[in-house]
Structure formats: C-alpha cells, structure tokens
Amino acid sequence: MILIIDDDTAVRSSLNFMLKRAGYEAKAVPGPREAMDVVRAEAPELILMDMNFTLSTTGEEGLTLLRQVKIFRPDVPVILMTAWGSIQLAVQGMRAGAFDFITKPWNNASLLQRIETALQLNASSSKAAEGTDFVLERSRIIGQSKGLMDVLDTVARIARTNASVLITGESGTGKELIAEAIHRNSRRAAQPFVKVNLGGISQSLFESEMFGHKKGAFTDAVADRVGRFELADKGTIFLDEIGDLDLSCQVKLLRVLQDQTFEVLGDSRPRKVDVRVVSATNADLRKRVAEHTFREDLFYRINLITVHLPALRERRDDIPLLARHFADRQAELNGLPRTDFSADALQYLSRLPYPGNIRELKNLVERTILVSGKPVLDASDFEAQGPRTDEPSRAERGSAYAGQTLDEIERQTILQALDYHKGNLSQVATALGISRAALYRRLEKYDIVIND
C-alpha cells in the first residue's frame, strides 16, 4: 500500500486516482496525526508526503513528520512533494532520510517511474541479486579483488531499476566501464547509451550541446542540432566529470533531471524525454557543496545510489590480471606475438603507487611492450619506462605536503609534471589521469603559463 499525505483534497484525490489506475493500492490522509495512525498500524510500502501543511508554511511540520516516520518505519521509502521555490526544504528532507523528492506540479509518468524505482530498490536491498540476470563483459571489467566484487554486486542490484547513480573514484579507476555495465544490464540496454564529458563543455555551449538548437538560434547555428538528452531518450545518459560543471549550468541541468523536460534553443516548446542518469566524478562533491561550488539539490538528485570505485593501489591483487589483459589486447590489436611477464616483473608492477590508476598501468604495459620488443618482460624493462627511481614515496610526499591546502598540493603536482614531461600537455594529462580539457581548466585556475 502507498500512503499519500497532503492537506489539499484535490492533490489527494488526483494522486489516489493515478496510483490506483497504475495498479497500486493507495490510501490518502490529510495530515500528520492521521498519517502516523496508518504508519503504526498498516506498514505502507511507500509514502508520498507533502512538506507543507495548513498549520505550517515553513515545512517544519513536514520535517517533524518525516523524522517520526523514520523512527517507526526506517526502511519505508518516502518521496517528498514540494514547490520548486521550496526545493531547499526538500534538500533538508533528503538529509533527514527521504528517498527522493518531486516538485509540484508533477509529471505523472515521471512520478510513477520514481515510485517504481523506490519500490524496486527497497525490495532488492532485502535480498541478494540473482546472478543469472547479470552479465559482465569479462573482456572489459577485469579483476577478482573484494573491492571490485563489492562494486559489481551493487551494480547487479541496481542495474534493472531506474535509479540515478553517482560513480565516484579517482581518475583512471574505470568509472565509464561501470556506467556501461549498469546500462548493459538495465531494461534500457537496447536503447542509446550517450556519454557526455561535462568537463569538456564550456558554459556558453552547454545548452546547445545538452538540449540542442534550431537553425538560426544564434550566430553560428547554421543547422538544427539534436542535443545529448534527446539522443539518449529511452536510454541512459552518462554525465562524466559532473563535478567540473559551472554553477550556472548546474541549475539548467537540475531542471531537466527534475522534470525530464527541456527546451531546444530557438524553440520555446518544451520537449519530454525518458532517460536514466548515471554521473561520475573524481571530486569530493560533499566538500564542494560545503564550499558552495556545487548545488546541494543537484547533489541529492544525482546520487540516489553511490558506487565508489577503489583506487588500483587498494586492489593490488588485480594488477597481474590487468597487466596480462592489456598485453593480450596489445598483441591482438597490433598483430604482435603474445608477451609474457616474469615473476619479478609482476612483483614490480604490483608495488607501484599508480596515481593514474588503471589508465597508468595500461599505458605503462603497452609502452613497455612496444619499446622492448621482448617475448618475456622483466622488472628492468618496466623500470626503464616507469616512474623515476628518485620519485619520493607516497608517505614522503604526504609529509612534504603537510600544512598545504589541496589547491596548493594540486598546483605543485601539476608544475612537477610539466617540468618532468617538458611541457608536453598530452603527456602531463595522461600522467595525472585527467583529460586535456580538465588540465587546461586547472592551468587557468592556478595561473600557470606554458612557455612556448
């Protein structure tokens, strides 16, 4: 049974009719007292709850009710309902344990989808995912460490829902592969999987790239353009580097994620899409929310489920498997004989710090194979291509950075990489595990000038 709590008779009637037409059992009550009677006696599967009641326009009564519900029924998902102007109130509700929020007036299809997602996730959390329904491309996701297996277990549980997912982890840990695995094992697998690197889209081009434009909408609009959200309709959109998105663009993104509607530049008619959103970042978004550089309401919208990928140094058991995989792929792609590794080579590879994670390991293996041309590689071959022997250890670097801010550490690291790679920006970006676009933004941020 779904419990509806709203003091507006018309809202209760509308929601009750919609839910029953969709096949759900529903019950509607006007306020907190009646709601708690139902919560105590009938154990609803899900609650749709308004945040403002007749006695309160601040939402405090709604927050109090939410906290009471969570005491008696901590596992029941609660979806909050609020006006767009009161969205900060919904954010407070998310902090207090709400599952999701919608703004009034709502879209019936979108609301039903969120209800289905909440019910599916709540059901899946109480039982293990069925392995027969989960397909992994072992040619792409390599490893057997506990950290990776925990990630894949989570993916198996959430893939067939429509829940928004935030994938976190350092650069080079394989966030895009996990996003693809979520899509391939979802009910949208036959539909588009559209990848967007938000870190590479400027503020001025954001609306055109994401929502599209009509011919003549602005000076350079010489033809119609279909935006990324429209391309992803019925499928999944992967928003990579979402932590680098400008604040003004965050507002525009939040609106389409909230309502699944947007307007094409040059066309005022709203367009509707049905997309699942998977985002990724190597940034600490909670810290950025605290610094007011990332919107809190957007943060709660994109991270209904968080999947954190461990760094390669936290899953060292997987390094030999990954190294052999990259060697086999190199042989296949270039028509070369298969390369093998000596025991000391694998030991050497397993000891490296890998600030660039899997991407760094892949580059090191492929570069060493091409340069050495040997059928069996040993540690000395990798030492010749790998990190400098005089590079300080991670612990030594940590000691040297004592008392510095993160920005100071990042600026110093970039300067060291520029010096080591003699200003070659492609090599610097690869070594740091970031895109060239992200490197350019950091050069501008820290006023680092590259001398020709």
Side-chain angles (χ1 to χ4, degrees), residues 2 4 11-21 24-28:
I2 295 177
I4 303 162
V11 169
R12 293 199 305 274
S13 177
S14 175
L15 288 172
N16 198 37
F17 177 75
M18 178 196 74
L19 291 171
K20 289 184 176 179
R21 187 174 182 182
Y24 294 106
E25 179 186 354
K27 177 173 288 190

Side-chain angles (χ1 to χ4, degrees), residues 375-397:
V376 179
L377 300 176
D378 56 34
S380 61
D381 297 311
F382 288 105
E383 287 173 348
Q385 301 299 323
R388 296 188 301 185
T389 57
D390 61 345
E391 183 180 358
S393 68
R394 182 173 298 274
E396 291 170 332
R397 289 199 302 270

Side-chain angles (χ1 to χ4, degrees), residues 110 114 164 211 229 237 239 242 250-261 275-277 279 298 301-302:
S110 178
R114 291 183 188 182
S164 59
F211 312 134
F229 271 96
I237 190 165
L239 305 177
I242 195 168
Q250 291 176 29
V251 177
K252 298 166 186 173
L253 179 61
L254 177 62
R255 284 192 175 272
V256 69
L257 298 188
Q258 169 64 34
D259 301 325
Q260 299 250 316
T261 59
V275 296
R276 186 194 192 161
V277 179
S279 308
L298 177 58
R301 176 59 69 206
I302 62 175

Side-chain angles (χ1 to χ4, degrees), residues 154-208:
T154 300
V155 171
R157 286 196 299 273
I158 67 175
R160 292 186 64 79
T161 74
N162 282 308
S164 59
V165 181
L166 175 64
I167 306 171
T168 62
E170 297 177 8
S171 292
T173 49
K175 295 186 288 293
E176 183 176 321
L177 289 181
I178 295 302
E180 289 178 351
I182 292 171
H183 174 71
R184 289 195 308 272
N185 291 278
S186 73
R187 290 176 295 176
R188 300 171 179 262
Q191 302 302 323
F193 177 72
V194 177
K195 296 177 282 189
V196 187
N197 185 337
L198 293 177
I201 299 178
S202 66
Q203 178 181 347
S204 60
L205 294 177
F206 178 79
E207 287 185 89
S208 176

Side-chain angles (χ1 to χ4, degrees), residues 121-183:
L121 284 175
N122 202 44
S124 67
S125 65
S126 63
K127 63 180 181 178
E130 297 180 9
T132 54
D133 292 334
F134 186 61
V135 179
L136 286 178
E137 289 186 18
R138 274 322 209 174
S139 62
R140 308 203 70 194
I141 300 178
I142 307 298
Q144 56 189 19
S145 62
K146 183 180 183 303
L148 180 61
M149 291 300 102
D150 288 345
V151 167
L152 298 182
D153 284 346
T154 300
V155 171
R157 286 196 299 273
I158 67 175
R160 292 186 64 79
T161 74
N162 282 308
S164 59
V165 181
L166 175 64
I167 306 171
T168 62
E170 297 177 8
S171 292
T173 49
K175 295 186 288 293
E176 183 176 321
L177 289 181
I178 295 302
E180 289 178 351
I182 292 171
H183 174 71

